[in-house]
Amino acid sequence: QRFASKYIAWSFTRLVLAAQSSQHFAMAGQVVVVVDPVSTGGCVAVEAVNRGYSVIIAWCAEMTTDMRTHVPDVAKGIKYYAEVEERETIPETAAAVKEAAGGMPIVACIVGAETGVTLADHLSAELKVRSNGIFPTGDRRNKSVQQRAVKA
């Protein structure tokens, strides 16, 4: 448990520092978006809150009500700045996230669970924050697509 907490804190720090590039600025008044903050992703969201970020959680369309309850104990009862549901299009979802941010800068968009990989990839690109990008040959979650990419 202690190792996992330290690893999550270290990982979160690396993600946000990478997202911020070499810029240094305060966390207060900045937004981190976490897509599908369940399982370990809930810990990532809590770490962002603990570091002073306003956390907006974004739920992908396939995340059921039941799946949303699968959060670690540390994330139960956490108060997020806002929640956004995936919309029909990525631009519409990004607009909803920007509206929820209320003018605060969005500094990172981090995937919390495997279900949110595709949305996080597209949303981070649309929000113009550091991104894995959009996988050009298909859905990055598809293992067959990944195997073909490695073979190429």
Side-chain angles (χ1 to χ4, degrees), residues 67-136:
M67 290 170 68
R68 293 177 188 201
T69 65
H70 295 228
V71 296
D73 289 340
V74 70
K76 291 181 178 166
I78 193 91
K79 179 76 172 133
Y80 296 111
Y81 187 75
E83 287 188 43
V84 173
E85 300 288 334
E86 182 178 7
R87 304 299 204 271
E88 286 279 325
T89 67
I90 295 301
E92 289 174 335
T93 305
V97 168
K98 289 176 184 176
E99 182 179 334
M104 286 189 290
I106 299 167
V107 296
C109 179
I110 303 169
V111 66
E114 193 253 340
T115 52
V117 168
T118 303
L119 177 58
D121 285 352
H122 286 82
L123 190 56
S124 60
E126 185 73 21
L127 293 170
K128 295 180 180 29
V129 295
R130 188 172 196 126
S131 177
N132 286 324
I134 299 166
F135 198 60

Short mmCIF file of all heavy atoms in Angstrom, two decimals, residues 67-136:
data_model
loop_
_atom_site.label_atom_id
_atom_site.label_comp_id
_atom_site.label_asym_id
_atom_site.label_seq_id
_atom_site.Cartn_x
_atom_site.Cartn_y
_atom_site.Cartn_z
N MET A 67 -19.77 0.52 -13.08
CA MET A 67 -18.32 0.62 -13.22
C MET A 67 -17.78 1.87 -12.52
O MET A 67 -16.66 1.86 -12.02
CB MET A 67 -17.93 0.64 -14.70
CG MET A 67 -18.15 -0.69 -15.41
SD MET A 67 -17.97 -0.58 -17.21
CE MET A 67 -16.23 -0.25 -17.39
N ARG A 68 -18.56 2.91 -12.48
CA ARG A 68 -18.13 4.17 -11.86
C ARG A 68 -17.95 4.05 -10.35
O ARG A 68 -17.33 4.91 -9.73
CB ARG A 68 -19.12 5.29 -12.17
CG ARG A 68 -19.13 5.65 -13.64
CD ARG A 68 -20.17 6.70 -13.94
NE ARG A 68 -20.30 6.89 -15.38
CZ ARG A 68 -20.80 7.97 -15.95
NH1 ARG A 68 -21.25 8.96 -15.19
NH2 ARG A 68 -20.87 8.05 -17.25
N THR A 69 -18.50 3.01 -9.76
CA THR A 69 -18.38 2.82 -8.31
C THR A 69 -17.09 2.11 -7.92
O THR A 69 -16.78 2.00 -6.74
CB THR A 69 -19.58 2.02 -7.76
OG1 THR A 69 -19.55 0.70 -8.30
CG2 THR A 69 -20.90 2.71 -8.09
N HIS A 70 -16.33 1.63 -8.89
CA HIS A 70 -15.11 0.86 -8.62
C HIS A 70 -13.93 1.80 -8.38
O HIS A 70 -13.00 1.88 -9.18
CB HIS A 70 -14.83 -0.09 -9.78
CG HIS A 70 -15.87 -1.14 -9.94
ND1 HIS A 70 -15.58 -2.46 -10.09
CD2 HIS A 70 -17.23 -1.07 -9.95
CE1 HIS A 70 -16.71 -3.16 -10.19
NE2 HIS A 70 -17.71 -2.32 -10.12
N VAL A 71 -14.01 2.52 -7.28
CA VAL A 71 -12.95 3.45 -6.93
C VAL A 71 -12.26 2.97 -5.66
O VAL A 71 -12.88 2.33 -4.81
CB VAL A 71 -13.48 4.90 -6.74
CG1 VAL A 71 -14.04 5.44 -8.03
CG2 VAL A 71 -14.51 4.96 -5.64
N PRO A 72 -10.98 3.26 -5.51
CA PRO A 72 -10.29 2.87 -4.28
C PRO A 72 -10.83 3.66 -3.10
O PRO A 72 -11.41 4.73 -3.26
CB PRO A 72 -8.83 3.20 -4.58
CG PRO A 72 -8.88 4.23 -5.65
CD PRO A 72 -10.11 3.96 -6.44
N ASP A 73 -10.61 3.13 -1.90
CA ASP A 73 -11.10 3.78 -0.69
C ASP A 73 -10.67 5.24 -0.59
O ASP A 73 -11.44 6.10 -0.20
CB ASP A 73 -10.63 3.03 0.56
CG ASP A 73 -11.34 1.69 0.72
OD1 ASP A 73 -12.42 1.51 0.11
OD2 ASP A 73 -10.82 0.82 1.45
N VAL A 74 -9.43 5.52 -0.99
CA VAL A 74 -8.91 6.88 -0.89
C VAL A 74 -9.71 7.86 -1.76
O VAL A 74 -9.75 9.06 -1.48
CB VAL A 74 -7.40 6.91 -1.24
CG1 VAL A 74 -7.18 6.66 -2.72
CG2 VAL A 74 -6.77 8.22 -0.82
N ALA A 75 -10.37 7.36 -2.79
CA ALA A 75 -11.11 8.24 -3.71
C ALA A 75 -12.60 8.34 -3.37
O ALA A 75 -13.31 9.14 -3.98
CB ALA A 75 -10.94 7.76 -5.15
N LYS A 76 -13.06 7.55 -2.42
CA LYS A 76 -14.48 7.59 -2.06
C LYS A 76 -14.79 8.89 -1.34
O LYS A 76 -14.11 9.28 -0.41
CB LYS A 76 -14.85 6.39 -1.21
CG LYS A 76 -14.80 5.11 -2.01
CD LYS A 76 -15.18 3.90 -1.21
CE LYS A 76 -15.15 2.70 -2.15
NZ LYS A 76 -15.17 1.45 -1.43
N GLY A 77 -15.81 9.59 -1.83
CA GLY A 77 -16.23 10.83 -1.20
C GLY A 77 -15.42 12.05 -1.61
O GLY A 77 -15.67 13.14 -1.10
N ILE A 78 -14.48 11.90 -2.53
CA ILE A 78 -13.68 13.04 -2.97
C ILE A 78 -14.58 14.03 -3.72
O ILE A 78 -15.48 13.63 -4.43
CB ILE A 78 -12.48 12.59 -3.83
CG1 ILE A 78 -11.47 13.73 -4.01
CG2 ILE A 78 -12.91 12.11 -5.19
CD1 ILE A 78 -10.42 13.74 -2.97
N LYS A 79 -14.34 15.30 -3.52
CA LYS A 79 -15.12 16.34 -4.18
C LYS A 79 -14.34 16.85 -5.39
O LYS A 79 -13.28 17.44 -5.25
CB LYS A 79 -15.39 17.49 -3.20
CG LYS A 79 -16.17 18.62 -3.76
CD LYS A 79 -17.64 18.28 -3.88
CE LYS A 79 -18.41 19.51 -4.27
NZ LYS A 79 -19.33 19.33 -5.32
N TYR A 80 -14.87 16.57 -6.57
CA TYR A 80 -14.23 17.04 -7.79
C TYR A 80 -14.81 18.40 -8.17
O TYR A 80 -15.93 18.74 -7.82
CB TYR A 80 -14.45 16.04 -8.93
CG TYR A 80 -13.80 14.71 -8.66
CD1 TYR A 80 -14.56 13.58 -8.41
CD2 TYR A 80 -12.41 14.59 -8.63
CE1 TYR A 80 -13.95 12.36 -8.15
CE2 TYR A 80 -11.80 13.38 -8.37
CZ TYR A 80 -12.58 12.27 -8.12
OH TYR A 80 -11.97 11.08 -7.86
N TYR A 81 -14.05 19.14 -8.93
CA TYR A 81 -14.48 20.46 -9.37
C TYR A 81 -15.71 20.35 -10.25
O TYR A 81 -16.65 21.14 -10.14
CB TYR A 81 -13.33 21.17 -10.10
CG TYR A 81 -13.64 22.60 -10.44
CD1 TYR A 81 -13.63 23.58 -9.46
CD2 TYR A 81 -13.97 22.96 -11.74
CE1 TYR A 81 -13.93 24.89 -9.76
CE2 TYR A 81 -14.26 24.27 -12.06
CZ TYR A 81 -14.25 25.23 -11.07
OH TYR A 81 -14.56 26.53 -11.38
N ALA A 82 -15.71 19.36 -11.16
CA ALA A 82 -16.85 19.16 -12.06
C ALA A 82 -16.78 17.75 -12.66
O ALA A 82 -15.73 17.11 -12.63
CB ALA A 82 -16.84 20.20 -13.18
N GLU A 83 -17.90 17.32 -13.19
CA GLU A 83 -17.99 16.05 -13.92
C GLU A 83 -18.58 16.35 -15.29
O GLU A 83 -19.50 17.14 -15.42
CB GLU A 83 -18.91 15.06 -13.22
CG GLU A 83 -18.35 14.46 -11.97
CD GLU A 83 -19.22 13.33 -11.44
OE1 GLU A 83 -19.69 12.49 -12.23
OE2 GLU A 83 -19.42 13.32 -10.21
N VAL A 84 -18.02 15.68 -16.30
CA VAL A 84 -18.48 15.87 -17.68
C VAL A 84 -18.72 14.49 -18.29
O VAL A 84 -17.89 13.59 -18.12
CB VAL A 84 -17.44 16.65 -18.51
CG1 VAL A 84 -17.82 16.70 -19.98
CG2 VAL A 84 -17.27 18.06 -17.95
N GLU A 85 -19.81 14.34 -18.99
CA GLU A 85 -20.11 13.12 -19.72
C GLU A 85 -19.62 13.28 -21.16
O GLU A 85 -19.70 14.38 -21.73
CB GLU A 85 -21.62 12.86 -19.76
CG GLU A 85 -22.27 12.69 -18.40
CD GLU A 85 -21.92 11.38 -17.72
OE1 GLU A 85 -21.61 10.40 -18.43
OE2 GLU A 85 -21.96 11.34 -16.48
N GLU A 86 -19.11 12.19 -21.74
CA GLU A 86 -18.71 12.24 -23.14
C GLU A 86 -19.91 12.62 -24.00
O GLU A 86 -21.01 12.11 -23.81
CB GLU A 86 -18.16 10.87 -23.59
CG GLU A 86 -17.68 10.85 -25.02
CD GLU A 86 -17.09 9.51 -25.43
OE1 GLU A 86 -17.16 8.54 -24.66
OE2 GLU A 86 -16.55 9.45 -26.55
N ARG A 87 -19.70 13.53 -24.93
CA ARG A 87 -20.75 13.98 -25.83
C ARG A 87 -20.68 13.22 -27.15
O ARG A 87 -19.85 12.36 -27.33
CB ARG A 87 -20.61 15.49 -26.09
CG ARG A 87 -20.61 16.38 -24.85
CD ARG A 87 -21.91 16.26 -24.06
NE ARG A 87 -22.20 17.42 -23.24
CZ ARG A 87 -21.81 17.60 -21.99
NH1 ARG A 87 -21.04 16.71 -21.41
NH2 ARG A 87 -22.15 18.68 -21.33
N GLU A 88 -21.53 13.61 -28.08
CA GLU A 88 -21.58 12.98 -29.40
C GLU A 88 -20.25 13.06 -30.14
O GLU A 88 -19.86 12.13 -30.83
CB GLU A 88 -22.67 13.62 -30.27
CG GLU A 88 -24.08 13.25 -29.90
CD GLU A 88 -24.50 11.91 -30.47
OE1 GLU A 88 -24.07 11.57 -31.60
OE2 GLU A 88 -25.23 11.19 -29.77
N THR A 89 -19.58 14.20 -30.01
CA THR A 89 -18.31 14.40 -30.71
C THR A 89 -17.23 14.85 -29.73
O THR A 89 -17.54 15.36 -28.65
CB THR A 89 -18.45 15.47 -31.82
OG1 THR A 89 -18.68 16.75 -31.19
CG2 THR A 89 -19.58 15.15 -32.80
N ILE A 90 -15.99 14.70 -30.16
CA ILE A 90 -14.87 15.16 -29.33
C ILE A 90 -14.91 16.68 -29.16
O ILE A 90 -14.74 17.17 -28.04
CB ILE A 90 -13.53 14.68 -29.91
CG1 ILE A 90 -13.45 13.15 -29.85
CG2 ILE A 90 -12.35 15.32 -29.18
CD1 ILE A 90 -13.58 12.54 -28.47
N PRO A 91 -15.13 17.46 -30.22
CA PRO A 91 -15.22 18.92 -30.01
C PRO A 91 -16.32 19.31 -29.01
O PRO A 91 -16.13 20.23 -28.21
CB PRO A 91 -15.52 19.47 -31.41
CG PRO A 91 -14.90 18.47 -32.34
CD PRO A 91 -15.14 17.13 -31.66
N GLU A 92 -17.46 18.62 -29.04
CA GLU A 92 -18.52 18.91 -28.07
C GLU A 92 -18.09 18.55 -26.65
O GLU A 92 -18.38 19.29 -25.70
CB GLU A 92 -19.80 18.14 -28.42
CG GLU A 92 -20.50 18.65 -29.66
CD GLU A 92 -21.68 17.78 -30.07
OE1 GLU A 92 -21.70 16.57 -29.74
OE2 GLU A 92 -22.57 18.32 -30.73
N THR A 93 -17.38 17.44 -26.50
CA THR A 93 -16.88 17.04 -25.18
C THR A 93 -15.85 18.04 -24.68
O THR A 93 -15.89 18.45 -23.52
CB THR A 93 -16.28 15.62 -25.22
OG1 THR A 93 -17.25 14.71 -25.76
CG2 THR A 93 -15.87 15.15 -23.84
N ALA A 94 -14.94 18.44 -25.56
CA ALA A 94 -13.93 19.44 -25.19
C ALA A 94 -14.58 20.76 -24.79
O ALA A 94 -14.15 21.40 -23.82
CB ALA A 94 -12.94 19.65 -26.33
N ALA A 95 -15.61 21.16 -25.52
CA ALA A 95 -16.33 22.40 -25.18
C ALA A 95 -16.97 22.28 -23.79
O ALA A 95 -16.93 23.24 -23.01
CB ALA A 95 -17.39 22.71 -26.23
N ALA A 96 -17.52 21.12 -23.48
CA ALA A 96 -18.12 20.91 -22.16
C ALA A 96 -17.06 20.98 -21.06
O ALA A 96 -17.30 21.55 -19.98
CB ALA A 96 -18.85 19.57 -22.12
N VAL A 97 -15.88 20.42 -21.32
CA VAL A 97 -14.78 20.48 -20.35
C VAL A 97 -14.34 21.93 -20.16
O VAL A 97 -14.16 22.39 -19.02
CB VAL A 97 -13.60 19.59 -20.80
CG1 VAL A 97 -12.35 19.87 -19.96
CG2 VAL A 97 -13.97 18.12 -20.72
N LYS A 98 -14.17 22.66 -21.25
CA LYS A 98 -13.76 24.07 -21.16
C LYS A 98 -14.79 24.90 -20.40
O LYS A 98 -14.44 25.77 -19.60
CB LYS A 98 -13.54 24.65 -22.56
CG LYS A 98 -12.30 24.11 -23.24
CD LYS A 98 -12.20 24.65 -24.66
CE LYS A 98 -11.03 24.05 -25.41
NZ LYS A 98 -10.98 24.50 -26.81
N GLU A 99 -16.06 24.64 -20.67
CA GLU A 99 -17.13 25.36 -19.96
C GLU A 99 -17.06 25.04 -18.47
O GLU A 99 -17.18 25.94 -17.62
CB GLU A 99 -18.50 24.97 -20.52
CG GLU A 99 -19.63 25.72 -19.86
CD GLU A 99 -20.99 25.36 -20.44
OE1 GLU A 99 -21.06 24.94 -21.62
OE2 GLU A 99 -21.99 25.50 -19.70
N ALA A 100 -16.86 23.77 -18.14
CA ALA A 100 -16.76 23.37 -16.73
C ALA A 100 -15.54 24.01 -16.06
O ALA A 100 -15.59 24.34 -14.87
CB ALA A 100 -16.69 21.85 -16.62
N ALA A 101 -14.47 24.21 -16.81
CA ALA A 101 -13.25 24.82 -16.26
C ALA A 101 -13.45 26.30 -15.96
O ALA A 101 -12.70 26.88 -15.17
CB ALA A 101 -12.08 24.64 -17.23
N GLY A 102 -14.44 26.90 -16.59
CA GLY A 102 -14.77 28.29 -16.28
C GLY A 102 -13.64 29.27 -16.52
O GLY A 102 -13.46 30.20 -15.75
N GLY A 103 -12.86 29.07 -17.54
CA GLY A 103 -11.78 30.00 -17.86
C GLY A 103 -10.44 29.64 -17.25
O GLY A 103 -9.42 30.24 -17.60
N MET A 104 -10.41 28.69 -16.31
CA MET A 104 -9.12 28.27 -15.75
C MET A 104 -8.35 27.49 -16.82
O MET A 104 -8.96 26.78 -17.62
CB MET A 104 -9.32 27.37 -14.52
CG MET A 104 -9.76 28.10 -13.28
SD MET A 104 -9.73 27.02 -11.82
CE MET A 104 -11.09 25.92 -12.17
N PRO A 105 -7.04 27.60 -16.81
CA PRO A 105 -6.26 26.84 -17.80
C PRO A 105 -6.30 25.34 -17.52
O PRO A 105 -6.20 24.91 -16.37
CB PRO A 105 -4.84 27.40 -17.64
CG PRO A 105 -4.80 27.99 -16.28
CD PRO A 105 -6.19 28.44 -15.97
N ILE A 106 -6.45 24.57 -18.57
CA ILE A 106 -6.41 23.12 -18.48
C ILE A 106 -4.98 22.72 -18.79
O ILE A 106 -4.48 22.96 -19.89
CB ILE A 106 -7.41 22.48 -19.46
CG1 ILE A 106 -8.83 22.94 -19.11
CG2 ILE A 106 -7.30 20.96 -19.44
CD1 ILE A 106 -9.87 22.63 -20.17
N VAL A 107 -4.30 22.09 -17.81
CA VAL A 107 -2.87 21.80 -17.96
C VAL A 107 -2.58 20.34 -18.29
O VAL A 107 -1.47 20.01 -18.70
CB VAL A 107 -2.06 22.24 -16.72
CG1 VAL A 107 -2.13 23.75 -16.55
CG2 VAL A 107 -2.53 21.52 -15.47
N ALA A 108 -3.57 19.47 -18.09
CA ALA A 108 -3.34 18.05 -18.39
C ALA A 108 -4.67 17.34 -18.57
O ALA A 108 -5.68 17.72 -17.99
CB ALA A 108 -2.54 17.38 -17.28
N CYS A 109 -4.63 16.28 -19.37
CA CYS A 109 -5.76 15.37 -19.55
C CYS A 109 -5.16 13.97 -19.44
O CYS A 109 -4.39 13.55 -20.30
CB CYS A 109 -6.43 15.58 -20.90
SG CYS A 109 -7.83 14.47 -21.19
N ILE A 110 -5.50 13.28 -18.36
CA ILE A 110 -4.87 12.01 -18.01
C ILE A 110 -5.92 10.91 -18.00
O ILE A 110 -7.01 11.09 -17.45
CB ILE A 110 -4.20 12.11 -16.63
CG1 ILE A 110 -3.18 13.24 -16.60
CG2 ILE A 110 -3.56 10.78 -16.23
CD1 ILE A 110 -2.66 13.59 -15.22
N VAL A 111 -5.60 9.79 -18.58
CA VAL A 111 -6.51 8.65 -18.55
C VAL A 111 -6.44 7.99 -17.18
O VAL A 111 -5.37 7.85 -16.60
CB VAL A 111 -6.20 7.65 -19.69
CG1 VAL A 111 -4.86 6.99 -19.50
CG2 VAL A 111 -7.29 6.61 -19.80
N GLY A 112 -7.62 7.64 -16.66
CA GLY A 112 -7.68 6.99 -15.36
C GLY A 112 -7.86 5.49 -15.44
O GLY A 112 -7.44 4.76 -14.56
N ALA A 113 -8.52 5.02 -16.48
CA ALA A 113 -8.78 3.59 -16.65
C ALA A 113 -8.74 3.24 -18.12
O ALA A 113 -8.89 4.10 -18.98
CB ALA A 113 -10.14 3.23 -16.05
N GLU A 114 -8.57 1.98 -18.39
CA GLU A 114 -8.44 1.50 -19.77
C GLU A 114 -9.63 1.90 -20.64
O GLU A 114 -9.48 2.20 -21.81
CB GLU A 114 -8.28 -0.03 -19.75
CG GLU A 114 -7.83 -0.60 -21.06
CD GLU A 114 -8.92 -1.35 -21.79
OE1 GLU A 114 -9.90 -1.75 -21.16
OE2 GLU A 114 -8.79 -1.50 -23.01
N THR A 115 -10.80 1.96 -20.04
CA THR A 115 -12.00 2.35 -20.80
C THR A 115 -11.88 3.75 -21.38
O THR A 115 -12.48 4.06 -22.40
CB THR A 115 -13.25 2.31 -19.90
OG1 THR A 115 -12.98 3.07 -18.71
CG2 THR A 115 -13.64 0.89 -19.54
N GLY A 116 -11.10 4.61 -20.73
CA GLY A 116 -11.00 6.00 -21.15
C GLY A 116 -9.85 6.33 -22.08
O GLY A 116 -9.65 7.50 -22.43
N VAL A 117 -9.09 5.32 -22.52
CA VAL A 117 -7.91 5.57 -23.35
C VAL A 117 -8.25 6.35 -24.62
O VAL A 117 -7.63 7.37 -24.92
CB VAL A 117 -7.18 4.25 -23.69
CG1 VAL A 117 -6.13 4.46 -24.77
CG2 VAL A 117 -6.55 3.66 -22.44
N THR A 118 -9.23 5.87 -25.35
CA THR A 118 -9.56 6.51 -26.62
C THR A 118 -10.05 7.94 -26.41
O THR A 118 -9.61 8.87 -27.10
CB THR A 118 -10.61 5.68 -27.39
OG1 THR A 118 -10.08 4.37 -27.57
CG2 THR A 118 -10.93 6.29 -28.74
N LEU A 119 -10.95 8.13 -25.44
CA LEU A 119 -11.44 9.49 -25.16
C LEU A 119 -10.31 10.39 -24.70
O LEU A 119 -10.19 11.53 -25.17
CB LEU A 119 -12.56 9.46 -24.11
CG LEU A 119 -13.11 10.83 -23.70
CD1 LEU A 119 -13.65 11.61 -24.89
CD2 LEU A 119 -14.19 10.67 -22.62
N ALA A 120 -9.45 9.91 -23.81
CA ALA A 120 -8.34 10.74 -23.32
C ALA A 120 -7.39 11.12 -24.46
O ALA A 120 -6.93 12.26 -24.52
CB ALA A 120 -7.58 10.01 -22.22
N ASP A 121 -7.11 10.18 -25.35
CA ASP A 121 -6.23 10.50 -26.50
C ASP A 121 -6.83 11.61 -27.35
O ASP A 121 -6.15 12.59 -27.69
CB ASP A 121 -6.01 9.26 -27.37
CG ASP A 121 -5.06 8.25 -26.76
OD1 ASP A 121 -4.44 8.54 -25.71
OD2 ASP A 121 -4.94 7.15 -27.34
N HIS A 122 -8.09 11.47 -27.71
CA HIS A 122 -8.74 12.46 -28.57
C HIS A 122 -8.98 13.78 -27.83
O HIS A 122 -8.78 14.86 -28.41
CB HIS A 122 -10.07 11.91 -29.10
CG HIS A 122 -9.89 10.88 -30.16
ND1 HIS A 122 -9.63 9.57 -29.90
CD2 HIS A 122 -9.94 10.98 -31.50
CE1 HIS A 122 -9.52 8.89 -31.02
NE2 HIS A 122 -9.69 9.73 -32.02
N LEU A 123 -9.39 13.69 -26.57
CA LEU A 123 -9.68 14.90 -25.80
C LEU A 123 -8.42 15.70 -25.54
O LEU A 123 -8.41 16.93 -25.69
CB LEU A 123 -10.38 14.52 -24.49
CG LEU A 123 -10.98 15.63 -23.66
CD1 LEU A 123 -11.98 16.45 -24.46
CD2 LEU A 123 -11.65 15.04 -22.42
N SER A 124 -7.32 15.03 -25.20
CA SER A 124 -6.07 15.76 -24.95
C SER A 124 -5.59 16.46 -26.21
O SER A 124 -5.10 17.59 -26.15
CB SER A 124 -4.99 14.82 -24.39
OG SER A 124 -4.71 13.78 -25.30
N ALA A 125 -5.76 15.81 -27.35
CA ALA A 125 -5.37 16.45 -28.62
C ALA A 125 -6.26 17.66 -28.89
O ALA A 125 -5.77 18.72 -29.29
CB ALA A 125 -5.46 15.44 -29.77
N GLU A 126 -7.55 17.52 -28.66
CA GLU A 126 -8.50 18.61 -28.90
C GLU A 126 -8.26 19.79 -27.94
O GLU A 126 -8.40 20.95 -28.32
CB GLU A 126 -9.93 18.09 -28.77
CG GLU A 126 -11.00 19.10 -29.10
CD GLU A 126 -11.13 19.40 -30.60
OE1 GLU A 126 -10.69 18.58 -31.44
OE2 GLU A 126 -11.67 20.47 -30.93
N LEU A 127 -7.88 19.46 -26.69
CA LEU A 127 -7.63 20.51 -25.69
C LEU A 127 -6.24 21.12 -25.83
O LEU A 127 -5.90 22.07 -25.13
CB LEU A 127 -7.79 19.93 -24.28
CG LEU A 127 -9.20 19.52 -23.89
CD1 LEU A 127 -9.19 18.75 -22.56
CD2 LEU A 127 -10.13 20.73 -23.81
N LYS A 128 -5.44 20.55 -26.72
CA LYS A 128 -4.08 21.03 -26.99
C LYS A 128 -3.19 20.99 -25.75
O LYS A 128 -2.42 21.92 -25.48
CB LYS A 128 -4.11 22.42 -27.62
CG LYS A 128 -4.77 22.40 -29.00
CD LYS A 128 -4.81 23.76 -29.62
CE LYS A 128 -5.45 23.81 -30.98
NZ LYS A 128 -6.45 22.89 -31.35
N VAL A 129 -3.31 19.89 -24.99
CA VAL A 129 -2.38 19.62 -23.90
C VAL A 129 -1.53 18.42 -24.35
O VAL A 129 -1.85 17.76 -25.34
CB VAL A 129 -3.10 19.33 -22.56
CG1 VAL A 129 -3.85 20.56 -22.08
CG2 VAL A 129 -4.03 18.13 -22.67
N ARG A 130 -0.46 18.16 -23.63
CA ARG A 130 0.41 17.04 -24.01
C ARG A 130 -0.44 15.78 -24.18
O ARG A 130 -1.30 15.50 -23.36
CB ARG A 130 1.48 16.83 -22.95
CG ARG A 130 2.50 15.83 -23.40
CD ARG A 130 3.66 15.78 -22.43
NE ARG A 130 4.75 15.10 -23.09
CZ ARG A 130 5.95 15.58 -23.22
NH1 ARG A 130 6.23 16.76 -22.74
NH2 ARG A 130 6.89 14.89 -23.82
N SER A 131 -0.16 15.04 -25.24
CA SER A 131 -1.03 13.94 -25.62
C SER A 131 -0.25 12.76 -26.17
O SER A 131 0.84 12.93 -26.72
CB SER A 131 -2.02 14.44 -26.69
OG SER A 131 -2.84 13.40 -27.16
N ASN A 132 -0.83 11.57 -26.04
CA ASN A 132 -0.29 10.41 -26.76
C ASN A 132 -0.62 10.53 -28.24
O ASN A 132 -0.12 9.78 -29.05
CB ASN A 132 -0.90 9.11 -26.22
CG ASN A 132 -0.34 8.75 -24.87
OD1 ASN A 132 0.83 8.98 -24.59
ND2 ASN A 132 -1.18 8.21 -24.02
N GLY A 133 -1.49 11.44 -28.54
CA GLY A 133 -1.94 11.61 -29.92
C GLY A 133 -3.01 10.60 -30.27
O GLY A 133 -3.42 9.79 -29.46
N ILE A 134 -3.45 10.70 -31.49
CA ILE A 134 -4.49 9.80 -31.97
C ILE A 134 -3.79 8.73 -32.80
O ILE A 134 -3.09 9.04 -33.77
CB ILE A 134 -5.53 10.57 -32.79
CG1 ILE A 134 -6.19 11.62 -31.87
CG2 ILE A 134 -6.57 9.62 -33.38
CD1 ILE A 134 -6.99 12.66 -32.60
N PHE A 135 -3.94 7.49 -32.40
CA PHE A 135 -3.27 6.37 -33.06
C PHE A 135 -3.75 6.29 -34.50
O PHE A 135 -4.93 6.08 -34.76
CB PHE A 135 -3.56 5.09 -32.29
CG PHE A 135 -2.61 3.97 -32.58
CD1 PHE A 135 -1.26 4.11 -32.32
CD2 PHE A 135 -3.07 2.78 -33.10
CE1 PHE A 135 -0.38 3.07 -32.57
CE2 PHE A 135 -2.20 1.74 -33.35
CZ PHE A 135 -0.85 1.88 -33.08
N PRO A 136 -2.86 6.47 -35.48
CA PRO A 136 -3.28 6.61 -36.88
C PRO A 136 -3.87 5.36 -37.52
O PRO A 136 -4.62 5.45 -38.48
CB PRO A 136 -2.00 7.03 -37.60
CG PRO A 136 -0.90 6.55 -36.73
CD PRO A 136 -1.42 6.59 -35.32
#
